[in-house]
């Protein structure tokens, strides 16, 4: 799209802003916030003798609007007409324009223009365009001056950024906020991972208090602690930080990862702490993939190898770690040829990367070029947010690929590839192929557990189901009895052992939920269908009803513990037990069928 000459925007900004700034303070009430031009929008509508301007001021969650009238002779009429006419022509719309809306986002250094005009049937037609300061430097100076961000220091910082379409002011704020949050979380995580601190705490408070303290720190660590490091590295790279600074960030990221691992080990009682049923831990561990990518291209293969050599990673049923371990020559304790495709999900990024890594040498260059060029578009389809293609950089380094055609592709960190090559990061031997995505075998009609569960031998009468009976129902078929001191403890233990699955009420991933229910059935000693239903409703209650029908075909039903929660505690049980239990209460909480979920 050919850009409209942006000067009418500047004139409109100047006239409208001057008019608003000239209002009495009690009428505009903007000084209280101290920054009248952070994010605001003007809706300019023509009338017989004036242009009426509605000013919407956004600060955080607060929205303030004022209406002012600007006489047509105050020049705004001609300016609006000039700009909107040109804009409408560009859009192929020659009808008279009724209104124009201009949004200013100072921190993102962006102007968005929208207009409304009638089509030939009389209904509104809309169009819009966005103008960034990087794309249109001719409007940067006047608007920076209006927005008071025209300092030479910030102008130079903007020029140093690796992504010129981003805003330095906005990026600086994001980095400061992320660093502050990371420091707050680290202050709660690091002491509990330090053995000397733990012993001091034990001496003062006792063994039980130490266990609670470390478990709580582990809970915090898996709740985004490592993701914050990944985010900060990405932000600092975007800002244009030099390579030594990025290496220091990488080393800090690595140290905190190992601290988090120590907490996870203590909580689980084993170095092989990662389990497919523990979702928060799952996401924390997956951030290590980016850590390995970045460490490799920055010439710190020692960091990548230490992560891959950790028992929690080497035993982990996650295909991308398998591939990265082969690339770094780190032996895996797991069987690379065993089918682990139904255990831990590969995210969209990993499947795309694995396909290129496993391609034949003759097709690898073309696959890499296509991967880098389509990377951002493919991630957008899955709503995956990531600014920089670290995995593409690692592919170029690992296989010594020609990246000359993609170096200017948005998101490709070409200078990291240069860094790796200048430091002599070795490429793999020409004929090496890394393990690719799992090719799932055709599933059987029914997945039978190694040991089947029998129905409960006796059911007590009445509406109340004894807690002990419910605990027996939720005990793994080959596991220790689930403790039944109270219902909350029982549910926590069942979720941990995998006989109950906690379903998010806001979103359902069909494949993930189906595979988790298959796993839960296997742990509980129940059969499950081999194929996951192809069509699942978006509504969580309707989706669970569909899965209930799916399981019913093999003699299993879904039972929900109807606690007062936004999420759903779902347990597959034998149809005979479901018939005897559904509708009763346990510890005052109803046990209901999936078709009763609302």
């Amino acid at each position: 799209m050919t850009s409209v000459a942006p000067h009418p925007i500047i004139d409109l900004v100047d006239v409208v802003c001057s008019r608003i700034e000239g209002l009495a303070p009690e009428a505009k009430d903007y000084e209280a916030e101290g920054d009248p031009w952070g994010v605001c929008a003007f809706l300019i509508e023509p009338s017989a003798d004036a242009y009426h301007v509605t000013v919407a001021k956004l600060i955080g969650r607060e929205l303030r609007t004022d209406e002012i009238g600007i006489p047509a002779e105050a020049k705004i009429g001609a300016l609006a007409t000039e700009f909107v006419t040109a804009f409408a022509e560009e859009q192929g719309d020659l009808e008279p324009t009724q209104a124009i809306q201009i949004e200013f986002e100072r921190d993102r250094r962006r102007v968005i223009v929208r207009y409304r005009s009638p089509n030939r049937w009389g209904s509104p037609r809309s169009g819009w365009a966005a103008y960034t300061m990087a794309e249109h430097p001719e409007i940067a100076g006047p608007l920076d001056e209006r927005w008071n961000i025209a300092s030479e220091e910030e102008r130079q910082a903007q020029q140093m950024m690796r992504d010129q379409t981003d805003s330095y002011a906005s990026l600086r704020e994001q980095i400061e906020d992320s660093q502050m949050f990371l420091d707050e979380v680290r202050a709660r995580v690091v002491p509990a991972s330090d053995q000397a601190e733990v012993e001091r705490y034990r001496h003062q408070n006792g063994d039980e208090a130490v266990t609670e303290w470390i478990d709580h720190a582990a809970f915090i660590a898996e709740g985004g602690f490592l993701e914050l490091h990944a985010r900060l590295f990405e932000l600092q790279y975007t800002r244009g930080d030099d390579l030594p600074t990025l290496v220091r960030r990488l080393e800090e990221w690595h140290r905190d990862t190992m601290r988090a691992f120590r907490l996870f080990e203590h909580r689980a009682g084993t170095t092989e702490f990662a389990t497919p049923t523990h979702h928060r831990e799952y996401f924390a561990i997956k951030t290590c993939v980016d850590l390995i990518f970045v460490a490799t291209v920055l010439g710190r293969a020692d960091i990548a190898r230490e992560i891959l050599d950790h028992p929690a990673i080497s035993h982990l049923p996650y295909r991308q770690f398998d591939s990265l371990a082969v690339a770094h020559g780190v032996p895996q304790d797991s069987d690379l040829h065993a089918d682990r495709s139904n255990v831990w999900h590969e995210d969209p990024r990993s499947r795309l990367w694995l396909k290129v890594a496993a391609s034949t040498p003759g097709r690898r260059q073309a696959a890499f070029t296509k991967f880098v060029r389509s990377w951002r578009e493919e991630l957008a389809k899955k709503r995956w947010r990531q600014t920089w293609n670290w995995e593409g950089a690692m592919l170029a380094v690992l296989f010594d690929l020609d990246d000359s055609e993609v170096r200017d592709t948005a998101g490709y960190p070409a200078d990291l590839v240069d860094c790796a090559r200048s430091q002599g990061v070795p490429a793999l031997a020409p004929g090496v192929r890394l393990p690719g995505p799992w090719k799932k075998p055709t599933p059987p009609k029914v997945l039978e557990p190694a040991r089947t569960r029998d129905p409960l031998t006796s059911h007590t009468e009445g509406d109340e189901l004894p807690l002990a009976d419910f605990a027996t129902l939720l005990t793994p078929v080959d596991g220790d009895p689930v403790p039944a001191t109270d219902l909350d403890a029982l549910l926590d233990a069942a979720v941990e052992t995998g006989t109950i699955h906690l379903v998010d009420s806001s979103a359902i991933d069909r494949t993930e939920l189906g595979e988790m229910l298959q796993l839960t059935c296997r742990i509980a000693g129940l059969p499950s269908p081999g194929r996951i239903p192809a069509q699942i409703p978006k509504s969580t209650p309707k989706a669970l009803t569909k899965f209930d029908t799916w399981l019913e075909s093999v003699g299993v039903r879904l039972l929900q513990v109807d606690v007062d929660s936004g999420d759903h505690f779902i347990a597959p049980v034998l149809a005979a037990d479901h018939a005897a239990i559904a509708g009763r209460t346990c510890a005052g909480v109803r046990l209901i069928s999936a078709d009763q979920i609302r």
Side-chain angles (χ1 to χ4, degrees):
M1 182 176 73
T2 304
S3 299
V4 178
H7 299 295
I9 291 180
I10 299 172
D11 293 335
L12 281 173
V13 170
D14 196 52
V15 171
V16 175
C17 291
S18 296
R19 173 64 175 140
I20 294 173
E21 289 172 341
L23 294 176
E26 59 269 21
K28 56 176 180 165
D29 194 24
Y30 285 142
E31 280 79 7
E33 288 83 18
D35 181 6
W37 309 115
V39 180
C40 56
F42 310 144
L43 177 62
I44 305 172
E45 298 177 290
S47 63
D49 59 351
Y51 273 79
H52 289 281
V53 181
T54 301
V55 183
K57 176 70 190 305
L58 289 80
I59 302 177
R61 297 186 178 183
E62 180 183 3
L63 175 64
R64 188 189 305 278
T65 62
D66 290 306
E67 283 199 16
I68 62 174
I70 300 181
E73 58 266 27
K75 194 182 177 183
I76 193 170
L79 292 170
T81 301
E82 176 187 354
F83 178 79
V84 177
T85 299
F87 185 76
E89 287 177 354
E90 183 179 289
Q91 299 295 309
D93 180 3
L94 302 180
E95 296 290 334
T97 300
Q98 289 185 319
I100 177 172
Q101 176 181 311
I102 306 178
E103 298 177 11
F104 302 101
E105 299 180 5
R106 190 188 72 175
D107 285 348
R108 298 181 68 179
R109 305 178 84 242
R110 182 171 72 166
V111 179
I112 300 177
V113 181
R114 293 180 173 87
Y115 75 97
R116 295 205 305 266
S117 65
N119 61 22
R120 58 183 173 178
W121 296 282
S123 58
R125 180 177 185 272
S126 297
W128 71 278
Y131 297 88
T132 65
M133 306 305 144
E135 293 169 347
H136 297 277
E138 65 269 29
I139 66 176
L143 289 180
D144 278 354
E145 185 175 352
R146 163 62 67 181
W147 289 338
N148 194 30
I149 58 172
S151 70
E152 185 60 29
E153 180 183 355
E154 290 199 353
R155 286 176 184 271
Q156 291 179 0
Q158 182 72 36
Q159 294 301 314
M160 294 295 293
M161 288 177 59
R162 288 183 171 94
D163 181 1
Q164 288 291 309
T165 65
D166 210 332
S167 159
Y168 173 77
S170 175
L171 196 67
R172 179 182 58 191
E173 184 177 345
Q174 293 178 61
I175 291 173
E176 290 173 353
D177 289 347
S178 297
Q179 184 65 63
M180 180 177 65
F181 188 36
L182 178 62
D183 291 342
E184 291 175 356
V185 176
R186 182 189 283 115
R188 303 171 71 183
V189 168
V190 171
S193 68
D194 184 283
Q195 190 58 38
E197 290 291 332
V198 169
E199 292 307 319
R200 276 194 289 271
Y201 194 88
R202 189 191 310 277
H203 178 73
Q204 295 173 356
N205 302 282
D207 291 343
E208 185 175 344
V210 165
T211 299
E212 292 179 359
W213 180 42
I214 295 178
D215 286 351
H216 181 64
F219 177 79
I220 295 172
E222 69 191 4
F225 178 47
L226 302 183
E227 290 174 316
L228 271 173
H229 275 291
R231 175 67 174 152
L232 264 170
F233 186 92
E234 184 177 74
L235 291 171
Q236 290 185 218
Y237 180 80
T238 303
R239 186 172 61 182
D241 287 12
D242 59 21
L243 294 178
T245 302
L246 293 174
V247 169
R248 288 193 293 272
R249 168 60 63 190
L250 170 72
E251 291 170 344
E252 189 175 311
W253 183 1
H254 170 237
R255 283 193 297 271
D256 279 351
T257 297
M258 302 313 296
R259 288 163 173 160
F261 278 17
R262 287 196 289 273
L263 294 173
F264 298 155
E265 291 169 15
H266 182 277
R267 181 178 58 190
T270 174
T271 55
E272 301 172 29
F273 54 78
T275 62
T277 56
H278 203 307
H279 274 199
R280 287 170 59 88
E281 194 173 87
Y282 165 73
F283 289 115
I285 297 303
K286 284 175 68 174
T287 62
C288 292
V289 171
D290 283 334
L291 175 58
I292 294 168
F293 283 144
V294 171
T296 303
V297 295
L298 285 177
R300 293 300 304 273
D302 57 316
I303 290 177
R305 292 192 184 101
E306 184 175 357
I307 296 294
L308 290 164
D309 195 43
H310 192 284
I313 301 297
S314 63
H315 285 82
L316 196 64
Y318 191 60
R319 191 61 167 173
Q320 200 163 18
F321 283 132
D322 293 345
S323 189
L324 291 170
V326 172
H328 280 282
V330 178
Q332 294 289 278
D333 292 321
S334 57
D335 182 1
L336 294 181
H337 302 288
D339 178 18
R340 298 184 288 160
S341 59
N342 289 321
V343 185
W344 273 31
H345 262 318
E346 302 289 350
D347 61 51
R349 291 191 310 156
S350 70
R351 293 195 63 82
L352 294 171
W353 187 87
L354 286 165
K355 286 180 180 180
V356 182
S359 59
T360 60
R363 300 182 61 184
R364 190 175 291 143
Q365 180 66 54
F368 162 76
T369 301
K370 179 182 178 182
F371 169 78
V372 174
R373 286 176 173 168
S374 62
W375 175 80
R376 183 161 287 181
E377 180 183 350
E378 290 295 327
L379 293 195
K381 292 178 183 177
K382 300 293 183 180
R383 298 181 181 180
W384 190 278
R385 190 191 76 172
Q386 184 180 340
T387 304
W388 296 100
N389 189 347
W390 313 126
E391 53 267 46
M394 186 165 177
L395 285 169
V397 172
L398 280 181
F399 296 111
D400 194 22
L401 298 171
D402 178 8
D403 65 350
S404 58
E405 294 185 19
V406 298
R407 291 180 73 83
D408 293 332
T409 302
Y412 182 70
D415 62 336
L416 289 192
V417 177
D418 295 339
C419 170
R421 289 172 173 163
S422 67
Q423 294 188 60
V425 174
L428 298 175
V432 172
R433 293 176 64 185
L434 301 183
W438 281 115
K439 295 181 179 179
K440 295 186 179 182
T442 302
K445 291 184 178 180
V446 179
L447 299 175
E448 297 288 353
R451 179 184 167 194
T452 58
R453 174 186 293 277
D454 295 325
L456 290 177
T457 55
S458 64
H459 293 290
T460 56
E461 300 296 330
D463 291 337
E464 182 72 15
L465 178 72
L467 192 64
D469 283 0
F470 195 31
T472 300
L473 198 65
L474 299 181
T475 293
V477 68
D478 283 322
D480 297 328
V482 178
T485 54
D486 57 65
L487 184 62
D488 287 343
L490 174 60
L491 294 179
D492 288 344
V495 169
E496 186 68 27
T497 57
T499 52
I500 275 186
H501 187 54
L502 189 58
V503 178
D504 188 342
S505 62
S506 62
I508 287 286
D509 182 301
R510 176 189 69 86
T511 304
E512 180 180 358
L513 181 55
E515 291 178 355
M516 291 306 301
L517 287 174
Q518 288 173 331
L519 176 61
T520 300
C521 285
R522 185 161 67 248
I523 294 170
L526 306 172
S528 63
R531 291 181 180 271
I532 297 169
Q535 299 295 325
I536 293 295
K538 292 183 179 179
S539 162
T540 297
K542 291 180 180 179
L544 291 175
T545 298
K546 181 79 172 181
F547 275 110
D548 180 50
T549 304
W550 171 68
L551 288 169
E552 192 173 12
S553 65
V554 295
V556 176
R557 297 289 305 278
L558 284 182
L559 190 73
Q560 182 192 8
V561 186
D562 194 18
V563 297
D564 185 17
S565 170
D567 297 327
H568 305 285
F569 286 92
I570 297 296
V573 298
L574 289 171
D577 288 329
H578 181 274
I581 291 172
R584 300 173 70 180
T585 61
C586 181
V589 175
R590 292 179 65 235
L591 308 174
I592 62 176
S593 300
D595 54 13
Q596 295 177 300
I597 298 173
R598 297 291 181 265

